[in-house]
Amino acid sequence: MATFADQAPRLSTKPNCLSLEPRLPHVEGPFDIDCPVRLFWLNPHHNNDHSEIGRIRVLPTTDEILCLKRPYMPPKDAQDGTLERRGKARMLDVQFRHLRYDALEPVIDACYHASQLLTIAFKEPSPQDYDVRQQTVRGTQYSLFRGVRLEDARFEAEGIHLRLSFACPARLRQRRMLSSGHFESGMLMALIGLDTERTLSTAFLMVEMCQSTESMKPITGDHLRASVVASFVEPSDTNTIRQTLYGLKGLLNKERFVIVEFPKVLVAGFNWILKHLQFLSISNAEIAFSDLITPSSTLRNKPIATPAYSDRGSSSFDLSVLQEAGKFSGHSSLQLDPDFMASGAAKQQDIIENLCSTTTLDHGQATALCQNLSRELAFTQGPPGTGKTFLGVSLAKVILRHAPKKPILVACMTNHALDNFLSDLIKQGITKVARIGSGSKEEWMDKYTLPSMRKTFEKGDKSLRQKSKSDRAFNAVQALWTQGNTWCESLNTRTLTWAAVAEHLKSRYPHLYSDFSRYESPRAQKVSDIRQGRSEAGGYAFEQWSIGKDLTDTEEFSRSAGSFFSKSTAESQSMDGSTDSGCSSLDLSLNPPRIPVPYPYDDLGQSVWSMPMDVRAAWITRWKSELDSSSPIDKLAEIQRRYLEAKRIKRELFDQSDAKGLANQEVIGLTTTACAKYWPILKSLDLETLICEEAGEVSEAQTITTLLPSIKHAIFIGDPLQLRPQVNHSSLSLETTYGAKYRLDESLFERMVMPSTSGKEPVPVSKLDLQRRMHPDVAQLLRATLYPYLKDHPSTSHLPVAGMAHRTFWLDHQEPEDAPNLLSIGSKSYSNAFECAMICELVRYLLNTNDFDSGEIAILVPYSKQLACLKDKLTGTRACSIALSQKDKEDLIDMGLLDESELSEFRTDVEVSPMVRLATIDGFQGEEAKVIILSTVRSNLQDRVGFLQTTNRINVACSRARNGFYIVGNSKLLRSIDMWETVIADFEAKGRLDTSITTHCSRHPHLAQAVSKPHQFQQVLACNEPCNHVFNCGHGCPETCHEPVLHDRMFGRKMRMFARNVQVYRKNLQQGFEWFTDNFQPGPLSGEVNTAMIKLRMLYMMPLETDIVRYRDEVIVRVEADMARTAMYLGNGYAPDPISLSFKARLDLLYFHCRLTLLQEAARIIHFLRDFDNPIHTQHMAKTLKMLTIQQADENIAEAEGLVQYCRTNSLLRLEVETVLVQLCFDAVADRLGSIGDSLERHERAEHLMAENPDTAGILRPCYQSLDPETKGKDSTAELWTPKTREFWEKWGEYESGSLRHCKNGHPYSLKAFHDCPECGGRKVHREQIEDREEFVKNLDREMFLKAMARFSNQR
């Protein structure tokens, strides 16, 4: 409150101070739009207010945090009659200020609120348990951790790191902190301090790692404190580093600290972009096409020319690279001269038609391709499902053919989009790809990343001079790093170190200094003082002296000092990297150490080595009192400055080497953030072509980072009518009246092709017009609203949704939304219990009536609170499992709607049952599903629509479905929005909007039921009519009604699902072993808990084993038996053993994989128990588990032998080898536990089959080799799930109707997935009764089966 200002903490030289009243929003609006001249020159608001953006610190200062005045914010459009900047300078100024406010206003708000809480509780003791979640009056959510203290400082590769411990709340203790989502690497945090003089300090740090209370127990002695290791966001700001360390070490006024953690605020998310904008402003660096993209008050645009590089060499682009094999055309007709397109010549239509007829491009894509190649600044708008990525790949292929000497720069907003684009390029044969940045989660991408490719870059052309420079730079960095660690040690320890006292002794007590340092080689002293050996030689003597040792034995000293020196190779290196190879750090041959000579030291008159321990302690105490306590901190800060400069020099040299390697690539892919970070390397490459994917989501500031000065051809592909760039503050969004002046969420793409300025001329844009995703009924919603020109590809005639009368429907209601809890952190989010219940029952109904694969149903919601409600209601049912994206999970945790312990509960890679994807609309951009169910949530009397009032978000929600689209919402409320009114009218015109949704049998429509309440879905009766499906033979299906698609159903997808789950369960056990060992407690009182933990792990595979066995016995065994009976019925005279069909055999093998995973886990537990600190307590447990494990291993080997024999009888060669490998792994488990078995015959059989059948059984050789042929399988953790193994099981899920084939040995397989039989390779294997088997196998082919049925019918 204002009257408390004189009592509130303040900066000594600044007018801003802390008020204890709430930091309320400004009534007149958040921004000051006064002329910047008056603002900056006459009345700056705080010490970070500057007219030049290059002088503004990216992170707020304490004075800026305390300032309550409105910040200056220039509008996006240039205004006449003002003194503002113009052109490029103004564009950079606007983008910097807008982006900085959007990113850091929540940080300022949270820091202000945290400072108030710290002030109020300054004299109170820190609580041991408290709620870390906080929310400001403005709605900013953050986490506050109390009781902060410095545990230690360390010097890492990035510079100074601090380990800060804090009082850990009870709900985050043990290892729960690690899975809570708090303190994730790369996140921003603030350290706020308040001292006894009521002065506030703020330091911003970046999280490096988090340590749980378990990890901190050896340091703290209890389970009450956790810690975070963090680095300074501005490592070059040595003043902040000094002040922070002064406060943490208590060198000034006593100071208390809190940690403020900002959820979802990644340092890299704003820091690199803002710094790059500053660099461009300060250096006045060129931006490609700045004359075309700079906002201007003129309404007409400059004409867009053809690409400048297109006139080099051949003036035409060769389009034949896109030609399909077998389709030929005259050479000239597949040449594109950009001038033809630019001039609108009649020949352009011929080129487009030729492209359509000889390539897979449709007319819209072919037109866009030609136009993009003819414009130096090209934009292409692609509605949902129109093949934007395919167009981008085609453009890359053509450009590389035309100008192959320089790589193409590919930039995307997200790592996910970048990986997808690069993946498509690689599949098209463009394999010289380099991916810069570390954000990819795809394993296959590893070999294309810059660190991996450095190994392959040519280094032979390095001159000796270049190598010498690199070596010197590396050595300088290493030497300074060693110095930094030395001073960190001085800072951390309470004892006096040589590094801290050496200079003091040298100036005040030279004889003492000489006595401690005399063992250093004089020749070594000639090098720079940065050399670690200069201090460490004396350091060893001082260390020994300070603990009471007497070094009078030369040989003993030589040995001890030699060991001491070996700690660091950098100790013999100078600052410039030179070394004195002529003498070691301790050159005894040239300078033998002398026994110390007594000196009369002051009034003591004693020899330094003859001093008793109490006298030495007195000297140490005296020196401590004489030393400046801030000296270690000052020294450390100075080392940090020099270290960063040495790293800069080293990085520049290494960048030169990287640039040479990157220049030989065809494509360089980065995110837009990485473009800002690696801009110097990219600039040195003189890249000429840019392709930016999903450009409608890329903010203008991020786009600027991609426009290198050398770019001559920039291609932007996206859709400004889908999701825009994300902003945190509506006051900067064009979706609000106030934010329309600023439009931070307006991409460069949207500003150029859909200018919001009245009368402004748009630039030319190409449009894709043929969609391949949505059924025409779904696509009609988009045609009626945003894309009237959109056409449907014939492939979009998808099957209907079984059990539903319509594939699109609006289930209308007026049930009110749930009342928000105003005291909750998630009070700004909304839910609707009726919609939640209705959707959950609809999902269960659809799963019961359709043959959906994993993830083919998705539920979209606009609010995280509704997401949480649906998650709670769907979780725990066997009907389905839930997939939540990582971002959505973190949002739920931040709002308190999901417990931290559940963070890893929902995995997108586990398929225990059909998985339903659950996502917010914003998180589903770029995704699709067969069936989309949309919950609109809002239903109120105030007519508040909320998030779904924006056209872009409505567009995304309505364009994700392939087969069916269902909306549950209040149509009366949404009609107030123009686009919703059009959508609702379309539903009404087709009779598909009602308060009840109609379910019916797809094949017997007269059996229909209307459902208007959730419980009514459970009352929908199954259709008991006969199927009556008539085969070509004339016979009908004898079963009760089911979907026609099930006539062609195969078991491959189910096998694929089980195989995936075996791998996932195995990985989860391996990753959870550390948790098990950390929580395993010593002592007899913990026996019950420990036993329960072991039992839990031993039962982990049981649900999956049960599912496999149930499906095998209830489905596969019956089907195979029916097929055998069918063969008898058709008169073949032979009923084969069911294993010849191999489906049951494969499920048996997956079952044995489960058993193997379990026993391997048991072996790990046994070895852990053997090595445990308390063997008496665990001995009985280990022996019992060992006995059971060996017994189970032997039993499984015996049971698997039956499967081996089945495989051998039926020529299932690959399956036999994999089964034998599983047996060998069982052998290995038993051998590891001391039970020796005879597995020689199995080894010989596997080796023989792999050698004879390299294309089938042979693909398992890497698995066999992982057993280690020298130990013959004694490594029980051998890797059976190699990429080839996983690929084999994955392919079984690719079956399509009509692709079933059989080989000469009677093995069925899908021609869609396999070129030939994956078991025997199609090679006929001799065995008895082969003719009878071949006759039976014929009937596995659909056409042959129908013909046989027809013959049988005619005979009757």
Side-chain angles (χ1 to χ4, degrees):
M1 57 191 82
T3 56
F4 282 79
D6 56 334
Q7 304 176 15
R10 67 179 70 204
L11 294 176
S12 58
T13 60
K14 301 299 176 183
N16 294 302
C17 60
L18 180 70
S19 168
L20 298 183
E21 287 193 346
R23 186 174 183 263
L24 297 171
H26 295 281
V27 177
E28 62 273 30
F31 305 134
D32 186 346
I33 57 174
D34 287 344
C35 175
V37 174
R38 184 171 72 251
L39 172 70
F40 294 130
W41 292 355
L42 300 180
N43 187 26
H45 291 168
H46 49 76
N47 64 358
N48 202 27
D49 237 353
H50 302 288
S51 61
E52 302 293 335
I53 62 172
R55 297 180 58 196
I56 298 175
R57 298 181 61 173
V58 170
L59 290 163
T61 63
T62 303
D63 193 42
E64 184 178 4
I65 291 171
L66 297 179
C67 179
L68 295 178
K69 298 176 183 177
R70 294 185 299 160
Y72 168 71
M73 199 63 55
K76 191 168 188 175
D77 293 331
Q79 307 200 351
D80 296 327
T82 68
L83 299 178
E84 297 178 16
R85 296 175 179 83
R86 287 286 183 266
K88 182 180 71 175
R90 186 182 189 283
M91 178 177 68
L92 294 174
D93 185 86
V94 167
Q95 291 301 321
F96 178 85
R97 295 182 189 278
H98 290 188
L99 181 60
R100 182 177 183 270
Y101 179 88
D102 188 64
L104 297 178
E105 166 57 22
V107 171
I108 293 174
D109 191 34
C111 287
Y112 195 95
H113 188 259
S115 299
Q116 291 176 318
L117 297 179
L118 178 60
T119 302
I120 294 170
F122 181 72
K123 296 184 179 180
E124 299 176 1
S126 296
Q128 292 298 324
D129 193 17
Y130 55 95
D131 190 354
V132 302
R133 294 173 295 184
Q134 300 290 337
Q135 181 167 304
T136 70
V137 175
R138 297 190 181 190
T140 303
Q141 299 168 11
Y142 69 98
S143 298
L144 185 71
F145 294 88
R146 305 173 186 268
V148 178
R149 70 181 184 220
L150 175 66
E151 294 294 340
D152 58 56
R154 58 183 72 173
F155 210 86
E156 302 290 352
E158 299 81 14
I160 299 172
H161 286 194
L162 304 181
R163 176 159 59 175
L164 303 169
S165 69
F166 51 86
C168 185
R171 70 187 185 90
L172 296 176
R173 291 173 190 163
Q174 304 296 326
R175 296 181 63 82
R176 289 189 290 272
M177 174 66 77
L178 302 181
S179 60
S180 66
H182 289 294
F183 296 118
E184 294 187 344
S185 178
M187 293 294 182
L188 180 70
M189 56 176 270
L191 182 67
I192 298 180
L194 177 64
D195 64 18
T196 54
E197 296 296 320
R198 307 183 70 75
T199 300
L200 281 167
S201 64
T202 309
F204 290 98
L205 301 102
M206 183 175 71
V207 176
E208 300 292 340
M209 64 175 291
C210 178
Q211 293 180 294
S212 66
T213 56
E214 289 283 339
S215 301
M216 289 297 295
K217 184 179 179 182
I219 299 174
T220 62
D222 54 39
H223 288 280
L224 301 179
R225 297 187 70 79
S227 73
V228 58
V229 177
S231 59
F232 288 92
V233 176
E234 295 288 353
S236 60
D237 184 2
T238 54
N239 287 332
T240 297
I241 293 175
R242 285 190 179 94
Q243 292 300 318
T244 302
L245 290 175
Y246 288 161
L248 289 168
K249 296 297 287 186
L251 301 184
L252 302 176
N253 298 315
K254 187 176 181 181
E255 198 164 1
R256 288 186 65 176
F257 291 91
V258 293
I259 290 176
V260 180
E261 183 198 16
F262 310 101
K264 299 176 293 184
V265 180
L266 275 168
V267 174
F270 63 87
N271 200 39
W272 289 110
I273 300 292
L274 290 174
K275 284 186 175 296
H276 185 65
L277 293 174
Q278 286 182 313
F279 165 78
L280 293 175
S281 177
I282 295 170
S283 65
N284 197 27
E286 184 181 350
I287 300 173
F289 310 114
S290 59
D291 57 330
L292 296 175
I293 67 172
T294 299
S296 167
S297 58
T298 61
L299 298 180
R300 293 189 62 82
N301 295 310
K302 294 181 179 180
I304 296 177
T306 58
Y309 66 74
S310 65
D311 56 0
R312 283 204 307 261
S314 172
S315 62
S316 298
F317 288 98
D318 183 5
L319 307 183
S320 62
V321 67
L322 304 176
Q323 192 172 12
E324 283 190 284
K327 291 186 177 181
F328 300 99
S329 180
H331 180 73
S332 61
S333 62
L334 282 178
Q335 298 291 312
L336 173 67
D337 185 340
D339 291 331
F340 283 130
M341 299 299 296
S343 62
K347 189 176 180 181
Q348 65 179 346
Q349 195 60 35
D350 293 336
I351 297 173
I352 293 171
E353 293 300 330
N354 281 332
L355 272 175
C356 294
S357 62
T358 60
T359 70
T360 56
L361 296 169
D362 60 49
H363 190 274
Q365 291 169 336
T367 303
L369 181 131
C370 294
Q371 292 172 344
N372 276 265
L373 293 174
S374 305
R375 297 167 183 161
E376 61 176 352
L377 183 61
F379 297 91
T380 296
Q381 180 182 4
T386 52
K388 294 185 287 293
T389 300
F390 181 73
L391 172 64
V393 172
S394 300
L395 284 164
K397 293 171 69 174
V398 173
I399 293 170
L400 286 173
R401 173 69 68 90
H402 180 78
K405 292 185 178 181
K406 291 194 176 182
I408 294 175
L409 178 64
V410 171
C412 297
M413 172 66 182
T414 64
N415 285 292
H416 178 68
L418 178 61
D419 287 343
N420 286 342
F421 190 86
L422 295 181
S423 173
D424 287 346
L425 285 173
I426 293 169
K427 290 176 182 177
Q428 290 294 318
I430 302 174
T431 56
K432 296 179 69 175
V433 172
R435 190 195 194 283
I436 302 180
S438 58
S440 177
K441 296 182 179 180
E442 303 293 339
E443 292 182 8
W444 60 267
M445 185 57 74
D446 288 346
K447 68 177 182 179
Y448 298 103
T449 58
L450 188 55
S452 298
M453 299 190 74
R454 284 193 181 112
K455 303 172 185 177
T456 62
F457 288 165
E458 181 62 44
K459 298 184 179 180
D461 59 347
K462 257 190 182 178
S463 66
L464 291 176
R465 185 175 181 181
Q466 288 174 320
K467 188 176 187 305
S468 177
K469 284 184 179 179
S470 298
D471 290 344
R472 285 199 302 271
F474 177 80
N475 293 337
V477 170
Q478 288 298 103
L480 286 164
W481 177 82
T482 305
Q483 279 255 0
N485 274 302
T486 301
W487 283 104
C488 281
E489 183 182 352
S490 298
L491 186 65
N492 296 335
T493 182
R494 294 184 178 180
T495 61
L496 192 63
T497 64
W498 175 250
V501 78
E503 292 297 324
H504 180 68
L505 293 181
K506 186 176 182 180
S507 61
R508 293 281 300 274
Y509 306 96
H511 297 301
L512 281 171
Y513 176 80
S514 176
D515 218 16
F516 287 128
S517 61
R518 66 177 56 217
Y519 299 102
E520 184 180 12
S521 166
R523 292 174 60 186
Q525 293 179 14
K526 296 177 183 178
V527 300
S528 169
D529 64 349
I530 203 66
R531 178 184 174 281
Q532 190 66 12
R534 181 178 175 88
S535 59
E536 288 296 310
Y540 178 74
F542 180 80
E543 180 185 282
Q544 298 301 303
W545 177 84
S546 64
I547 60 176
K549 295 291 182 67
D550 188 7
L551 299 181
T552 58
D553 187 336
T554 301
E555 293 184 2
E556 177 188 350
F557 178 68
S558 302
R559 291 191 300 270
S560 302
S563 173
F564 191 75
F565 286 130
S566 66
K567 294 179 182 178
S568 175
T569 59
E571 295 168 0
S572 60
Q573 296 168 343
S574 68
M575 180 179 178
D576 62 358
S578 62
T579 60
D580 193 350
S581 59
C583 67
S584 64
S585 298
L586 185 65
D587 195 339
L588 296 178
S589 60
L590 296 177
N591 300 280
R594 297 178 288 113
I595 297 176
V597 178
Y599 291 101
Y601 296 129
D602 291 352
D603 57 338
L604 294 177
Q606 299 178 9
S607 166
V608 66
W609 297 105
S610 61
M611 292 179 185
M613 189 60 205
D614 59 339
V615 175
R616 299 185 188 192
W619 273 102
I620 292 173
T621 302
R622 176 176 177 175
W623 294 333
K624 284 183 177 179
S625 66
E626 294 173 346
L627 285 171
D628 183 357
S629 57
S630 64
S631 178
I633 294 175
D634 294 337
K635 289 284 187 181
L636 185 58
E638 174 61 16
I639 292 294
Q640 170 93 339
R641 184 192 65 78
R642 294 161 66 186
Y643 176 77
L644 294 176
E645 176 61 19
K647 274 194 70 176
R648 183 191 64 78
I649 295 172
K650 174 188 169 185
R651 184 175 61 250
E652 288 179 353
L653 292 171
F654 277 76
D655 284 352
Q656 293 173 13
S657 176
D658 287 342
K660 290 182 180 179
L662 291 170
N664 295 322
Q665 305 305 306
E666 294 179 316
V667 171
I668 298 174
L670 306 89
T671 62
T672 50
T673 299
C675 282
K677 181 177 181 180
Y678 295 97
W679 194 86
I681 299 181
L682 299 175
K683 182 177 181 295
S684 68
L685 293 172
D686 287 328
L687 304 175
E688 295 182 335
T689 306
L690 164 69
I691 298 178
C692 183
E693 253 258 314
E694 298 293 352
E697 292 184 72
V698 182
S699 71
E700 192 160 342
Q702 291 169 320
T703 304
I704 290 172
T705 67
T706 68
L707 294 173
L708 302 166
S710 57
I711 294 294
K712 295 179 173 60
H713 190 187
I715 298 170
F716 295 94
I717 304 173
D719 185 6
L721 294 180
Q722 297 187 57
L723 291 184
R724 292 188 173 103
Q726 292 187 355
V727 294
N728 297 316
H729 294 276
S730 59
S731 55
L732 290 171
S733 173
L734 58 79
E735 296 174 0
T736 64
T737 303
Y738 190 90
K741 292 181 292 187
Y742 304 101
R743 306 193 304 278
L744 179 61
D745 53 348
E746 180 184 57
S747 64
L748 177 69
F749 193 123
E750 182 173 4
R751 179 166 67 82
M752 298 297 288
V753 305
M754 299 171 59
S756 55
T757 303
S758 178
K760 181 72 173 179
E761 180 186 32
V763 299
V765 59
S766 305
K767 293 186 178 182
L768 306 182
D769 58 5
L770 186 65
Q771 68 90 15
R772 293 170 170 80
R773 174 189 297 165
M774 300 160 282
H775 186 276
D777 282 1
V778 181
Q780 178 57 33
L781 298 175
L782 304 185
R783 273 189 289 273
T785 52
L786 300 175
Y787 311 102
Y789 55 85
L790 190 63
K791 295 177 288 187
D792 304 315
H793 192 271
S795 64
T796 58
S797 298
H798 306 305
L799 292 171
V801 181
M804 305 299 292
H806 308 288
R807 68 170 67 247
T808 60
F809 196 86
W810 186 304
L811 180 59
D812 197 19
H813 73 87
Q814 295 189 22
E815 298 288 338
E817 64 196 43
D818 303 334
N821 181 2
L822 299 180
L823 300 178
S824 168
I825 290 180
S827 60
K828 289 189 175 182
S829 193
Y830 297 90
S831 62
N832 190 304
F834 172 79
E835 290 187 16
C836 180
M838 200 74 188
I839 289 173
C840 288
E841 293 303 325
L842 174 59
V843 166
R844 291 189 179 99
Y845 173 76
L846 291 175
L847 289 173
N848 289 332
T849 54
N850 289 265
D851 180 34
F852 286 123
D853 203 352
S854 178
E856 291 183 343
I857 296 180
I859 305 171
L860 302 186
V861 298
Y863 296 100
S864 294
K865 193 171 182 181
Q866 183 75 343
L867 198 75
C869 292
L870 287 163
K871 184 271 303 180
D872 290 339
K873 203 163 187 67
L874 285 170
T875 300
T877 174
R878 293 290 296 179
C880 65
S881 50
I882 302 301
L884 287 172
S885 72
Q886 187 69 20
K887 180 182 182 300
D888 285 336
K889 284 186 283 188
E890 291 171 356
D891 287 344
L892 293 181
I893 287 177
D894 293 337
M895 296 173 61
L897 301 174
L898 182 68
D899 190 78
E900 287 89 346
S901 61
E902 299 179 87
L903 185 62
S904 59
E905 178 180 345
F906 309 101
R907 302 182 180 90
T908 57
D909 53 355
V910 180
E911 295 182 56
V912 178
S913 52
M915 181 168 284
V916 174
R917 286 187 285 177
L918 191 55
T920 55
I921 296 171
D922 290 5
F924 212 68
Q925 167 86 327
E927 303 290 334
E928 63 180 55
K930 276 190 175 180
V931 174
I932 294 290
I933 304 172
L934 173 64
S935 171
T936 64
V937 179
R938 301 305 299 272
S939 180
N940 53 72
L941 298 177
Q942 295 77 27
D943 292 334
R944 294 174 180 169
V945 176
F947 283 157
L948 285 181
Q949 64 182 321
T950 61
T951 299
N952 302 66
R953 196 168 277 118
I954 300 170
N955 183 16
V956 172
C958 294
S959 61
R960 304 299 102 192
R962 291 174 59 84
N963 295 45
F965 180 43
Y966 302 96
I967 301 177
V968 182
N970 184 336
S971 65
K972 181 180 179 181
L973 174 69
L974 296 177
R975 283 183 187 274
S976 59
I977 307 302
D978 290 342
M979 184 169 176
W980 276 126
E981 170 62 29
T982 305
V983 170
I984 291 169
D986 185 81
F987 276 101
E988 288 179 328
K990 297 175 181 176
R992 296 181 182 180
L993 187 149
D994 202 346
T995 56
S996 62
I997 189 169
T998 303
T999 65
H1000 74 174
C1001 173
S1002 301
R1003 302 187 65 244
H1004 303 96
H1006 62 282
L1007 299 175
Q1009 291 178 253
V1011 174
S1012 59
K1013 301 295 181 183
H1015 69 275
Q1016 293 175 348
F1017 275 110
Q1018 301 176 16
Q1019 300 170 359
V1020 175
L1021 301 176
C1023 180
N1024 292 317
E1025 295 284 331
C1027 176
N1028 289 334
H1029 176 80
V1030 179
F1031 295 102
N1032 292 346
C1033 62
H1035 287 81
C1037 176
E1039 302 293 333
T1040 55
C1041 183
H1042 52 259
E1043 287 304 304
V1045 68
L1046 299 182
H1047 291 127
D1048 298 315
R1049 184 175 181 176
M1050 198 179 178
F1051 313 119
R1053 283 189 295 174
K1054 202 72 173 179
M1055 288 197 300
R1056 178 183 65 182
M1057 185 189 80
F1058 286 135
R1060 286 177 178 176
N1061 286 343
V1062 170
Q1063 300 169 64
V1064 171
Y1065 274 64
R1066 178 173 175 268
K1067 182 179 180 181
N1068 290 343
L1069 275 177
Q1070 291 172 345
Q1071 293 179 341
F1073 191 73
E1074 182 181 355
W1075 176 90
F1076 167 77
T1077 57
D1078 288 345
N1079 286 275
F1080 196 91
Q1081 300 296 324
L1085 296 179
S1086 303
E1088 185 175 344
V1089 175
N1090 292 338
T1091 301
M1093 287 171 52
I1094 294 176
K1095 185 176 180 181
L1096 182 65
R1097 297 186 73 78
M1098 292 297 96
L1099 295 176
Y1100 184 73
M1101 300 295 295
M1102 182 173 289
L1104 180 56
E1105 292 176 9
T1106 302
D1107 286 345
I1108 291 174
V1109 171
R1110 181 187 297 118
Y1111 186 75
R1112 180 196 67 189
D1113 294 343
E1114 295 181 2
V1115 179
I1116 299 296
V1117 171
R1118 294 181 181 180
V1119 169
E1120 291 188 346
D1122 286 345
M1123 294 182 76
R1125 285 194 291 271
T1126 300
M1128 294 287 292
Y1129 183 68
L1130 293 175
N1132 286 354
Y1134 171 70
D1137 191 287
I1139 197 66
S1140 63
L1141 299 179
S1142 73
F1143 301 123
K1144 176 181 176 297
R1146 291 192 177 89
L1147 289 178
D1148 285 340
L1149 177 57
L1150 290 175
Y1151 172 81
F1152 285 120
H1153 270 294
C1154 292
R1155 303 302 299 168
L1156 174 62
T1157 300
L1158 177 65
L1159 296 189
Q1160 288 175 336
E1161 175 66 16
R1164 277 195 295 268
I1165 292 175
I1166 292 167
H1167 281 274
F1168 167 73
L1169 296 178
R1170 285 176 175 175
D1171 300 334
F1172 199 64
D1173 293 338
N1174 191 355
I1176 297 177
H1177 167 58
T1178 59
Q1179 184 177 14
H1180 177 71
M1181 192 180 298
K1183 285 184 177 180
T1184 303
L1185 188 57
K1186 173 185 173 181
M1187 178 184 67
L1188 292 174
T1189 302
I1190 293 175
Q1191 178 183 340
Q1192 284 293 310
D1194 292 339
E1195 290 180 2
N1196 280 280
I1197 290 171
E1199 291 178 17
E1201 188 61 32
L1203 178 57
V1204 170
Q1205 294 303 320
Y1206 279 132
C1207 294
R1208 190 171 301 177
T1209 302
N1210 293 278
S1211 305
L1212 298 167
L1213 306 180
R1214 189 212 166 280
L1215 201 60
E1216 180 183 351
V1217 171
E1218 188 170 353
T1219 307
V1220 169
L1221 292 179
V1222 171
Q1223 285 182 306
L1224 290 174
C1225 287
F1226 281 128
D1227 273 329
V1229 170
D1231 290 355
R1232 191 181 180 193
L1233 299 178
S1235 176
I1236 307 301
D1238 183 12
S1239 59
L1240 180 60
E1241 183 180 346
R1242 282 189 282 275
H1243 278 284
E1244 292 176 346
R1245 174 66 176 171
E1247 288 175 340
H1248 170 74
L1249 288 177
M1250 288 186 293
E1252 291 291 320
N1253 305 276
D1255 296 332
T1256 54
I1259 69 171
L1260 293 166
R1261 186 167 293 280
C1263 305
Y1264 179 73
Q1265 291 171 343
S1266 73
L1267 290 167
D1268 187 358
E1270 293 184 3
T1271 60
K1272 289 298 180 185
K1274 293 187 178 176
D1275 177 11
S1276 65
T1277 59
E1279 180 55 70
L1280 297 185
W1281 291 99
T1282 63
K1284 286 288 186 182
T1285 309
R1286 292 195 295 267
E1287 181 184 6
F1288 169 81
W1289 288 98
E1290 284 290 312
K1291 284 186 174 181
W1292 281 105
E1294 298 177 10
Y1295 171 77
E1296 288 184 359
S1297 176
S1299 67
L1300 184 63
R1301 297 293 184 272
H1302 64 274
C1303 71
K1304 296 178 181 178
N1305 297 304
H1307 307 142
Y1309 64 94
S1310 170
L1311 193 62
K1312 172 74 165 54
F1314 302 101
H1315 295 299
D1316 213 328
C1317 177
E1319 290 296 338
C1320 62
R1323 184 169 58 89
K1324 190 170 182 178
V1325 180
H1326 176 71
R1327 58 189 180 188
E1328 297 178 1
Q1329 296 182 322
I1330 191 71
E1331 295 180 358
D1332 290 334
R1333 292 174 184 267
E1334 286 182 343
E1335 183 63 27
F1336 166 78
V1337 164
K1338 289 179 181 178
N1339 295 307
L1340 293 180
D1341 184 283
R1342 184 179 180 188
E1343 296 302 322
M1344 291 186 177
F1345 177 80
L1346 295 177
K1347 290 178 181 178
M1349 289 289 289
R1351 287 198 306 271
F1352 179 77
S1353 176
N1354 293 334
Q1355 291 172 2
R1356 295 187 60 182

